[in-house]
């Protein structure tokens, strides 16, 4: 539960860190975020119950939300503008590799040492990183008085982004479990999310002390869309491997590596191209084409698909998402003057995970509704579910992974025709998977629309602000 309610990256905090970096300087906000992350990791490792674990994850999330964002802001301070995309692509690549290594290392710790070391491992790393930053990172203090800096804070925008995250995360967490996807609570909260998002766009475009341009708005919109597509793609392909192929969670994660590998590789490549040529708008046209092709191909997978097909299809999708993710951050930075780089970096860092939350919510609702409807066509599966519920197993057809595990559990002997029921479940899952995955095509289509609103800017000394604000 804590994973969604209190995500480690604390999506809204990323936006706020951009403003804090302007107020108090990059170095000490960076140190603060690392120290808070280490404290949260310590609390998680030492947790005696779920409440303490959730608290620790909340604290770690507040710190972790700043580490990645401030790293990009620091790069924008110490690297010349032509080199920023290259270095930021490398940092993004490291993050992508961590998404592969992290779960595998966590599984190894849990299997052979203790799950607590999934958190304790951060402590020695912090003991090295924090002193290194304090002693060796030398950045100038931001100019201006504290009062002047506080006047620049977009308080209304900050409040709105926090409300948006809360409004979308709550129904995403409880939808399909505590609340039905069609319940008034879920529907109302998603409507509230849409209204708040529209209000946020209006405030940032019109009312904020430092409004963002049309081009930057389009770049951020593309970031939301690529986040929705990428997170949804990762989640459902992992579920596919577990349900259809019968893989473990770890094995399913390993089979997702081609997607992450191409995503990381082309993220770095896009940064190098941008640093070398100054071009980035091409990514918003080419990337969505690869994403659409990858989504269509992956949706065609089934239990009889060859391993080479799985690898190739996932690789294709990763090319498209990789071209866009880090490009969006660098492009947003180039589109504003130096004074606003920290703020726009925080915004850009927020869009991808926030888009991921939206994407999972929408595709999750579609996925569950398809399964809940189709299960009525399979009387053997319906009877098996009823037998489990009669024995106080709280499952239904939308809980595909848990239900499949029960139907194939050799110790559960009271379920009649469990093998046939599981085959029915896999058949229903395949249909829901295909349609839900195809629904992700909407997001690269949105990116293509945003591409026409983006002005490619190759800055020259003294003209950056003029062009950014004129768009």
């Amino acid at each position: 539960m804590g994973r969604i309610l209190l995500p480690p990256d604390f999506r809204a905090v990323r936006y706020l860190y951009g403003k804090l970096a302007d107020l108090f300087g990059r170095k000490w906000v960076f140190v603060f975020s690392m120290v808070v992350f280490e404290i949260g990791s310590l609390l998680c490792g030492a947790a005696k119950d779920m409440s303490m674990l959730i608290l620790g994850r909340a604290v770690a999330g507040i710190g972790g939300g700043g580490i990645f964002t401030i790293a990009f802001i620091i790069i924008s301070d110490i690297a010349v503008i032509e080199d920023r995309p290259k270095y930021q692509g490398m940092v993004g690549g490291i993050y992508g590799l961590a998404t592969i290594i992290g779960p595998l290392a966590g599984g190894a710790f849990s299997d052979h040492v203790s799950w607590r070391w999934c958190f304790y491992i951060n402590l020695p790393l912090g003991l090295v990183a924090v002193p290194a930053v304090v002693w060796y990172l030398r950045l100038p203090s931001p100019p201006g008085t504290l009062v002047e800096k506080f006047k620049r804070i977009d308080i209304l925008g900050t409040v709105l982004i926090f409300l948006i995250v809360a409004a979308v995360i709550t129904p995403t967490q409880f939808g399909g479990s505590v609340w039905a996807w069609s319940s008034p609570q879920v529907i109302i909260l998603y409507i509230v999310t849409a209204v708040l998002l529209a209000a946020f766009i209006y405030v940032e475009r019109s009312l904020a002390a430092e409004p963002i341009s049309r081009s930057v708005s389009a770049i951020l919109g593309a970031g939301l869309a690529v986040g929705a597509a990428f997170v949804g793609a990762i989640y459902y392909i992992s579920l596919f491997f577990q349900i259809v192929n019968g893989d473990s969670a770890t094995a399913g994660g390993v089979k997702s590596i081609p997607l992450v590998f191409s995503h990381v590789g082309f993220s770095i490549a896009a940064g190098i191209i941008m640093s070398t040529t100054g071009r980035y708008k091409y990514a918003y046209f080419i990337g969505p084409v690869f994403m659409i092709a990858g989504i269509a191909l992956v949706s065609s997978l089934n239990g009889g698909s060859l391993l080479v097909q799985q690898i190739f299809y996932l690789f294709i999708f990763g090319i498209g998402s990789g071209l866009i993710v880090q490009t969006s951050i660098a492009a947003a930075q180039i589109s504003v003057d130096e004074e606003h780089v920290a703020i726009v970096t925080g915004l850009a860092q927020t869009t991808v995970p926030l888009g991921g939350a939206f994407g999972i919510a929408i595709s999750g609702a579609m996925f569950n509704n398809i399964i809940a409807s189709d299960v009525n066509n399979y009387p053997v599966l319906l009877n098996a579910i009823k037998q489990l519920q009669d024995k106080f197993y709280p499952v239904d057809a939308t809980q595909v992974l848990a239900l499949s595990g029960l139907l194939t559990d050799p110790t559960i002997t009271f379920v009649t025709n469990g093998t046939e029921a599981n085959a029915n479940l896999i058949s229903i899952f395949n249909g829901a998977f295909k349609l839900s995955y195809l629904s992700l095509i909407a997001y690269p289509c949105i990116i293509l629309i945003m591409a026409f609103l983006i002005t490619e800017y190759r800055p020259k000394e003294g003209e950056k602000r003029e062009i950014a604000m004129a768009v």
Side-chain angles (χ1 to χ4, degrees):
M1 182 176 292
R3 173 65 187 93
I4 300 181
L5 285 175
L6 299 165
D9 55 13
F10 243 60
R11 298 171 179 90
V13 176
R14 292 186 175 197
Y15 172 67
L16 183 59
Y17 268 112
K19 299 180 179 296
L20 293 177
D22 277 342
L23 282 173
F24 303 106
R26 282 50 160 156
K27 176 177 179 177
W28 296 112
V29 175
F30 195 35
V31 170
F32 169 80
S33 62
M34 287 192 291
V35 170
V36 171
F37 178 74
E38 293 297 309
I39 293 172
S41 297
L42 179 62
L43 289 173
C44 289
K48 302 298 183 183
D49 52 40
M50 182 58 69
S51 297
M52 186 174 176
L53 181 61
I54 291 175
L55 173 63
R57 289 179 72 79
V59 174
I62 292 172
I67 293 174
F68 201 53
T69 299
I70 301 299
F72 276 82
I73 295 173
I74 290 174
I75 289 174
S76 71
D77 287 341
I78 63 179
V80 295
I81 197 166
E82 293 83 2
D83 288 339
R84 288 179 191 171
K86 176 174 59 180
Y87 294 130
Q88 290 175 346
M90 292 177 183
V91 173
I94 293 171
Y95 178 80
L97 288 175
T99 64
I100 301 172
I101 298 171
L104 297 178
F109 280 131
S110 298
D111 291 341
H112 303 293
V113 186
S114 168
W115 64 267
R116 298 181 185 276
W117 275 97
C118 296
F119 303 101
Y120 284 148
I121 190 63
N122 295 322
L123 302 182
L125 299 177
L127 288 175
V128 175
V130 173
V133 170
V134 171
W135 291 333
Y136 295 110
L137 183 62
R138 292 179 172 83
L139 295 174
S141 299
T145 66
L146 197 60
V147 174
E148 291 172 341
K149 294 170 187 174
F150 270 113
K151 288 181 179 179
R152 289 174 50 204
I153 293 182
D154 176 17
I155 296 176
L156 181 56
T158 302
V159 171
L160 284 172
I161 197 72
F162 270 92
L163 291 176
I164 289 169
V165 172
V168 72
I169 292 300
T170 302
T172 302
Q173 166 66 36
F174 294 116
S177 55
V178 178
W179 301 331
W181 284 109
S182 58
S183 67
Q185 299 96 314
V186 171
I187 294 172
I188 290 172
L189 282 170
Y190 282 139
I191 292 174
V192 169
T193 298
V195 172
L196 290 172
L197 183 59
F200 177 76
I201 294 171
Y202 174 73
V203 166
E204 294 304 312
R205 290 280 290 132
S206 306
L207 302 182
E210 297 165 347
I212 57 178
S213 67
R214 184 197 68 190
S215 184
V216 173
S217 297
I219 291 170
L220 297 178
L224 284 168
V226 74
F230 181 73
V231 174
I234 285 286
Y235 176 79
Y236 282 105
I237 194 60
S238 178
L239 198 60
F240 172 87
F241 289 136
Q242 294 178 70
I243 297 296
V244 177
N245 292 355
D247 295 326
S248 66
T250 301
V254 170
K255 286 187 175 181
S256 302
I257 286 179
L259 190 159
V260 180
F261 181 79
S262 61
H263 177 88
V264 170
F266 280 85
S267 174
I268 296 173
I272 294 173
I273 292 171
M274 191 172 176
S275 291
T276 304
T277 67
R279 301 294 185 184
Y280 56 87
K281 191 171 180 177
Y282 76 92
Y284 293 97
F285 289 105
I286 297 176
V289 174
F290 277 96
M291 291 175 70
I292 290 171
I295 290 169
L297 290 170
V298 172
S299 70
S300 69
L301 292 175
N302 54 52
S305 298
L306 300 175
L307 179 60
V308 66
Q309 290 178 286
Q310 298 172 3
I311 293 173
F312 178 70
Y313 296 171
L314 291 173
F315 191 88
I316 291 295
F317 177 84
I319 292 174
S321 60
L323 285 173
I324 299 171
V325 168
Q326 297 305 324
T327 299
S328 294
I329 298 173
Q333 291 178 337
I334 289 175
S335 299
V336 300
D337 60 26
E338 294 296 320
E339 198 175 335
H340 301 140
V341 164
I343 294 174
V344 82
T345 301
L347 270 172
Q349 286 282 359
T350 303
T351 56
V352 173
L354 185 59
F358 277 105
I360 285 292
I362 295 171
S363 58
M366 177 180 294
F367 180 84
N368 286 340
N369 286 332
I370 292 171
I371 287 182
S373 174
D374 288 355
V375 71
N376 295 315
N377 300 322
Y378 294 87
V380 173
L381 178 58
L382 281 173
N383 183 60
I385 293 172
K386 184 177 184 304
Q387 289 175 327
L388 287 167
Q389 291 173 341
D390 288 344
K391 294 293 184 178
F392 305 104
Y393 285 91
V395 293
D396 58 53
T398 62
Q399 298 168 311
V400 182
L401 191 57
L403 179 57
S404 180
L406 292 172
L407 293 174
T408 56
D409 189 341
T411 65
I412 298 179
T413 58
F414 58 83
V415 174
T416 56
N417 299 317
T419 301
E420 182 181 352
N422 190 57
N424 293 162
L425 182 64
I426 292 175
S427 177
I428 294 173
F429 172 85
N430 275 327
F433 168 80
K434 182 180 181 67
L435 291 176
S436 299
Y437 223 85
L438 284 174
S439 73
L440 300 177
I441 288 178
Y443 302 117
C445 290
I446 291 173
I447 296 171
L448 283 171
I449 295 172
M450 293 296 104
F452 290 99
L453 302 177
I454 295 172
T455 298
E456 185 173 74
Y457 176 54
R458 303 174 71 182
K460 295 179 180 179
E461 187 67 29
E463 68 176 6
K464 190 172 190 180
R465 177 177 173 80
E466 179 182 347
I467 293 179
M469 294 303 174
V471 176

